Amino acid sequence: MNFIKELDGGFSVIENLKVSGAREGKYGVSIIFCPNSTASAIFTSNKVVAAPVDYTRNVLKKGIVSAVFVNSGNANCFTGKQGFKDCETLVELVAKDLKLPKDEIAISSTGVIGREMPIDIISKVAYESLSKLGSNPENSLAAAKAIMTTDTFPKECAVEVTLKTGEKVKIAGITKGSGMIAPNMGTMLSFIVTDGVIASEDIKKALKTSADISFNMIVVDGDESTNDTCLMMANGQSGVDIVRDGEIDSNFQEALNYLCIDLARKMARDGEGATKFIEANVVGARDDEDARLAAKSIISSNLFKSAVFGGDPNWGRIVSAIGYSGCDLNPDIVTIAIADGEDEVNLVKKGEILAFEDTPYLKRAEKIMQSKNIRVNIEMYLGNGEATAWGCDLTYDYVKINAEYTT
C-alpha cells in the first residue's frame, strides 16, 4: 500500500491539535485539545458501563468534540451517582481552563473498578497536564504514557494517506491496553484524530469498519472491560473531504485500518505478563465471520496460550479451539501450520496428520514454539472468508499481576 506513509511524532503531525500528559504515582491525566472537531466513538458492549462512557455518549449526540479528558488509575465505574458528578467536575475544570462549552468535552477513564474517584488528586494532575499542552512529539508521547496502567510501553501511531483524488490527509492515534482485553465494539482506550473533513456519522461508519478487523480481533485474557472506548475526531485542518458522492475514500479507510491494526497489535504484544506474541491467520473459511470466529478462538484458548508460554507444540489445542468456535469446519480437508520468522511447518495438511510424535514435522514445530513470535496459519478450503487475530501467551506473571492488582 504505497499510498500510506508511516510518520513519526504521533499526534504532533496533526495541525491545530495540542496534547499533554502528567502523572502522580499511579494516577495520570491526558488532555487532547482539538477545537470544533466532528467526532464519533464506539464503546464496550458490557452491560456494566463506567460513568465516563455514559457521559461521553451524551456529549457525542451533538457530534462535536473540542477536547478529551482521560485519566488512569481509577475507572470511575460502579460508583453510583457520584461517578457522574465526578465526570461533571472534571469536565468543568477543563472547560474553564480551555474556555470551551462543557458539552464539547468528552471524558474517559481507566483503572480500578468500584472505587470512588480520588477527585483531589486527579484534579491536581489535570491542572498540571493542562499547563503542559503542546504540539510537539514529546507532548504526544507524554499523553500516551499518562493513560498507561499495567502497560509496559506507550502506544502511538501516525500515517499520511494519499487519497484517490491525489490529495493527502493525516491520521494519528494513541491507545492503552494490556489486560482485561477482549474488545467487542470498541477497544480499551483509543483516541484518533484526522485532519480530514468528515461528518460524525461517516466517522462512526469508518471506525466500525476498522475496529472489526483490529481492536475487535485481539484477546489478552478474554475479559471485556467496562470502560472500552475508541473515539475519533476530525478537525478538518487539511481542508480535504474524505467522503465524495456519499462514499468514504477507500484509501482513507485502508489507512485507518492500518493505524488501528498497528495500535491493536501493540496492545496484544503488551499483554499483561506476556513473553510471546501470537498471530492467527484463517483463510478459506465459509465467510469472513466464520474466519473471525476461528481466529479469535485460537488466540482466546487459555490452553493454547499456556502451551505457547511453555514452548509446547501441543497443536491439538489449536484443533480443539477451532472445533468449538462455532465456525463451519471439515476436519478431513483442513490444513494447520505454525510458523515464526524463519520457518513454517504443516502439522495437518488437507486433513492428513503429519506431526505425530517423533516425526520431523513435530521436531520443527518444537523449535518454532521457542520463538517470541508465533503464527498459526489455517486453511479451511470451504470458501473465501479470511481473518487475522492477535494475542499473547498466558504466563505466571499474568496471574501475579492480577492477583495483586488492588493490593
Side-chain angles (χ1 to χ4, degrees), residues 289-307:
E289 181 55 32
D290 260 22
R292 289 190 185 106
L293 287 173
K296 284 192 75 171
S297 188
I298 293 166
I299 55 106
S300 298
S301 167
N302 285 335
L303 287 176
F304 180 60
K305 288 156 71 71
S306 299

mmCIF file of all heavy atoms in Angstrom, residues 289-307:
data_model
loop_
_atom_site.group_PDB
_atom_site.id
_atom_site.type_symbol
_atom_site.label_atom_id
_atom_site.label_comp_id
_atom_site.label_asym_id
_atom_site.label_seq_id
_atom_site.Cartn_x
_atom_site.Cartn_y
_atom_site.Cartn_z
ATOM 1 N N GLU A 289 -17.045 -13.933 8.701
ATOM 2 C CA GLU A 289 -17.483 -14.108 10.085
ATOM 3 C C GLU A 289 -16.998 -15.438 10.654
ATOM 4 O O GLU A 289 -16.536 -15.517 11.797
ATOM 5 C CB GLU A 289 -19.004 -14.015 10.177
ATOM 6 C CG GLU A 289 -19.554 -14.159 11.592
ATOM 7 C CD GLU A 289 -18.956 -13.170 12.588
ATOM 8 O OE1 GLU A 289 -18.622 -12.040 12.188
ATOM 9 O OE2 GLU A 289 -18.814 -13.536 13.765
ATOM 10 N N ASP A 290 -17.069 -16.503 9.869
ATOM 11 C CA ASP A 290 -16.547 -17.795 10.315
ATOM 12 C C ASP A 290 -15.042 -17.724 10.545
ATOM 13 O O ASP A 290 -14.516 -18.308 11.502
ATOM 14 C CB ASP A 290 -16.864 -18.878 9.277
ATOM 15 C CG ASP A 290 -18.072 -19.714 9.671
ATOM 16 O OD1 ASP A 290 -18.892 -19.221 10.475
ATOM 17 O OD2 ASP A 290 -18.203 -20.855 9.172
ATOM 18 N N ALA A 291 -14.355 -17.011 9.662
ATOM 19 C CA ALA A 291 -12.911 -16.863 9.813
ATOM 20 C C ALA A 291 -12.576 -16.133 11.112
ATOM 21 O O ALA A 291 -11.636 -16.505 11.828
ATOM 22 C CB ALA A 291 -12.319 -16.117 8.617
ATOM 23 N N ARG A 292 -13.363 -15.098 11.436
ATOM 24 C CA ARG A 292 -13.142 -14.359 12.680
ATOM 25 C C ARG A 292 -13.362 -15.264 13.891
ATOM 26 O O ARG A 292 -12.600 -15.218 14.861
ATOM 27 C CB ARG A 292 -14.079 -13.153 12.754
ATOM 28 C CG ARG A 292 -13.741 -12.030 11.788
ATOM 29 C CD ARG A 292 -14.568 -10.787 12.102
ATOM 30 N NE ARG A 292 -14.359 -9.746 11.120
ATOM 31 C CZ ARG A 292 -15.231 -9.401 10.182
ATOM 32 N NH1 ARG A 292 -16.398 -10.026 10.112
ATOM 33 N NH2 ARG A 292 -14.967 -8.452 9.316
ATOM 34 N N LEU A 293 -14.429 -16.065 13.842
ATOM 35 C CA LEU A 293 -14.711 -16.983 14.948
ATOM 36 C C LEU A 293 -13.530 -17.912 15.196
ATOM 37 O O LEU A 293 -13.100 -18.112 16.341
ATOM 38 C CB LEU A 293 -15.971 -17.806 14.644
ATOM 39 C CG LEU A 293 -17.317 -17.087 14.716
ATOM 40 C CD1 LEU A 293 -18.428 -18.011 14.212
ATOM 41 C CD2 LEU A 293 -17.619 -16.641 16.143
ATOM 42 N N ALA A 294 -13.001 -18.496 14.127
ATOM 43 C CA ALA A 294 -11.899 -19.444 14.262
ATOM 44 C C ALA A 294 -10.625 -18.770 14.761
ATOM 45 O O ALA A 294 -9.961 -19.266 15.679
ATOM 46 C CB ALA A 294 -11.635 -20.131 12.921
ATOM 47 N N ALA A 295 -10.288 -17.630 14.169
ATOM 48 C CA ALA A 295 -9.047 -16.941 14.533
ATOM 49 C C ALA A 295 -9.082 -16.485 15.986
ATOM 50 O O ALA A 295 -8.113 -16.666 16.743
ATOM 51 C CB ALA A 295 -8.807 -15.752 13.603
ATOM 52 N N LYS A 296 -10.219 -15.887 16.421
ATOM 53 C CA LYS A 296 -10.310 -15.419 17.801
ATOM 54 C C LYS A 296 -10.343 -16.582 18.786
ATOM 55 O O LYS A 296 -9.843 -16.464 19.913
ATOM 56 C CB LYS A 296 -11.546 -14.534 17.982
ATOM 57 C CG LYS A 296 -11.392 -13.152 17.404
ATOM 58 C CD LYS A 296 -12.499 -12.206 17.843
ATOM 59 C CE LYS A 296 -12.329 -11.752 19.257
ATOM 60 N NZ LYS A 296 -13.276 -10.671 19.629
ATOM 61 N N SER A 297 -10.928 -17.696 18.383
ATOM 62 C CA SER A 297 -10.982 -18.854 19.271
ATOM 63 C C SER A 297 -9.582 -19.379 19.562
ATOM 64 O O SER A 297 -9.272 -19.766 20.700
ATOM 65 C CB SER A 297 -11.843 -19.953 18.642
ATOM 66 O OG SER A 297 -12.061 -21.003 19.557
ATOM 67 N N ILE A 298 -8.725 -19.366 18.559
ATOM 68 C CA ILE A 298 -7.349 -19.843 18.745
ATOM 69 C C ILE A 298 -6.601 -18.971 19.748
ATOM 70 O O ILE A 298 -5.994 -19.462 20.703
ATOM 71 C CB ILE A 298 -6.600 -19.870 17.391
ATOM 72 C CG1 ILE A 298 -7.195 -20.933 16.467
ATOM 73 C CG2 ILE A 298 -5.102 -20.138 17.610
ATOM 74 C CD1 ILE A 298 -6.749 -20.807 15.027
ATOM 75 N N ILE A 299 -6.663 -17.655 19.550
ATOM 76 C CA ILE A 299 -5.886 -16.775 20.432
ATOM 77 C C ILE A 299 -6.567 -16.533 21.776
ATOM 78 O O ILE A 299 -5.969 -15.947 22.685
ATOM 79 C CB ILE A 299 -5.511 -15.437 19.733
ATOM 80 C CG1 ILE A 299 -6.739 -14.719 19.204
ATOM 81 C CG2 ILE A 299 -4.525 -15.676 18.606
ATOM 82 C CD1 ILE A 299 -7.121 -13.546 19.994
ATOM 83 N N SER A 300 -7.815 -17.019 21.911
ATOM 84 C CA SER A 300 -8.514 -16.926 23.189
ATOM 85 C C SER A 300 -8.308 -18.163 24.060
ATOM 86 O O SER A 300 -8.600 -18.128 25.258
ATOM 87 C CB SER A 300 -10.026 -16.742 22.969
ATOM 88 O OG SER A 300 -10.303 -15.553 22.282
ATOM 89 N N SER A 301 -7.858 -19.242 23.463
ATOM 90 C CA SER A 301 -7.730 -20.506 24.186
ATOM 91 C C SER A 301 -6.644 -20.427 25.265
ATOM 92 O O SER A 301 -5.460 -20.299 24.951
ATOM 93 C CB SER A 301 -7.394 -21.646 23.219
ATOM 94 O OG SER A 301 -6.975 -22.794 23.930
ATOM 95 N N ASN A 302 -7.046 -20.505 26.518
ATOM 96 C CA ASN A 302 -6.060 -20.485 27.603
ATOM 97 C C ASN A 302 -5.133 -21.682 27.543
ATOM 98 O O ASN A 302 -3.964 -21.608 27.933
ATOM 99 C CB ASN A 302 -6.765 -20.427 28.962
ATOM 100 C CG ASN A 302 -7.327 -19.047 29.264
ATOM 101 O OD1 ASN A 302 -6.853 -18.044 28.742
ATOM 102 N ND2 ASN A 302 -8.352 -18.988 30.098
ATOM 103 N N LEU A 303 -5.642 -22.810 27.048
ATOM 104 C CA LEU A 303 -4.792 -23.991 26.916
ATOM 105 C C LEU A 303 -3.703 -23.750 25.868
ATOM 106 O O LEU A 303 -2.530 -24.065 26.095
ATOM 107 C CB LEU A 303 -5.635 -25.211 26.535
ATOM 108 C CG LEU A 303 -6.508 -25.791 27.651
ATOM 109 C CD1 LEU A 303 -7.365 -26.928 27.102
ATOM 110 C CD2 LEU A 303 -5.647 -26.292 28.808
ATOM 111 N N PHE A 304 -4.090 -23.192 24.722
ATOM 112 C CA PHE A 304 -3.077 -22.932 23.692
ATOM 113 C C PHE A 304 -2.135 -21.825 24.124
ATOM 114 O O PHE A 304 -0.917 -21.902 23.915
ATOM 115 C CB PHE A 304 -3.741 -22.580 22.359
ATOM 116 C CG PHE A 304 -2.740 -22.301 21.265
ATOM 117 C CD1 PHE A 304 -1.836 -23.277 20.869
ATOM 118 C CD2 PHE A 304 -2.681 -21.065 20.651
ATOM 119 C CE1 PHE A 304 -0.896 -23.025 19.867
ATOM 120 C CE2 PHE A 304 -1.756 -20.797 19.659
ATOM 121 C CZ PHE A 304 -0.855 -21.789 19.274
ATOM 122 N N LYS A 305 -2.667 -20.781 24.761
ATOM 123 C CA LYS A 305 -1.829 -19.686 25.235
ATOM 124 C C LYS A 305 -0.802 -20.192 26.244
ATOM 125 O O LYS A 305 0.351 -19.756 26.257
ATOM 126 C CB LYS A 305 -2.705 -18.586 25.852
ATOM 127 C CG LYS A 305 -3.510 -17.797 24.837
ATOM 128 C CD LYS A 305 -4.758 -17.148 25.427
ATOM 129 C CE LYS A 305 -4.429 -16.000 26.327
ATOM 130 N NZ LYS A 305 -3.931 -14.839 25.599
ATOM 131 N N SER A 306 -1.210 -21.127 27.084
ATOM 132 C CA SER A 306 -0.282 -21.715 28.048
ATOM 133 C C SER A 306 0.779 -22.558 27.344
ATOM 134 O O SER A 306 1.952 -22.551 27.732
ATOM 135 C CB SER A 306 -1.051 -22.583 29.060
ATOM 136 O OG SER A 306 -1.972 -21.816 29.785
ATOM 137 N N ALA A 307 0.347 -23.281 26.309
ATOM 138 C CA ALA A 307 1.302 -24.089 25.540
ATOM 139 C C ALA A 307 2.343 -23.204 24.864
ATOM 140 O O ALA A 307 3.539 -23.540 24.817
ATOM 141 C CB ALA A 307 0.559 -24.925 24.500
#
